[in-house]
Amino acid sequence: MSGRKAGDMERGLTMKEFPPFRLDTVNQCLWRRRETEYDERIQLTPKAFAVLLYLVEHVGRLVPQGELLNAVWLDVRVDPAVLKNQILNIRNA
């Protein structure tokens, strides 16, 4: 296997792509692809990144609010408004 293919495979494991965006799971950042400029790095808080990553990993199905809260906040009880705030942060980004 050539180094390029191995690198492509590794990138596929670390990048979740949904054009024009890609989610870098290793560096925990979101990138927006631009045609005429360098790609833009979009700042997300760690929790907003975790919410987006969970949604991207479960694409194609409705993720219930309780499941998302349990996945991102684990054993911490939080008000559902916290999740709504993180979703708003993602949308604004």
Side-chain angles (χ1 to χ4, degrees):
M1 181 178 293
S2 75
R4 182 169 184 211
K5 287 185 180 180
D8 289 347
M9 285 179 50
E10 182 178 302
R11 181 176 178 201
L13 295 175
T14 63
M15 294 286 183
K16 307 284 184 183
E17 298 202 28
F18 46 105
F21 299 99
R22 69 183 190 279
L23 203 57
D24 181 343
T25 61
V26 171
N27 298 304
Q28 295 190 346
C29 57
L30 177 66
W31 294 91
R32 178 182 294 134
R33 184 168 295 122
R34 299 203 164 195
E35 295 291 326
T36 58
E37 301 174 24
Y38 291 108
D39 291 353
E40 173 189 13
R41 182 177 179 171
I42 300 170
Q43 298 294 326
L44 293 175
T45 66
K47 285 298 183 191
F49 180 86
V51 168
L52 182 57
L53 177 61
Y54 193 84
L55 292 173
V56 167
E57 288 178 338
H58 296 87
V59 69
R61 72 176 183 89
L62 179 64
V63 177
Q65 178 178 324
E67 178 184 335
L68 195 49
L69 286 168
N70 289 334
V72 175
W73 281 270
L74 301 172
D75 294 326
V76 177
R77 186 177 170 112
V78 296
D79 188 271
V82 172
L83 177 58
K84 289 179 184 179
N85 188 41
Q86 294 303 328
I87 298 289
L88 181 61
N89 289 340
I90 293 166
R91 288 180 176 162
N92 287 335

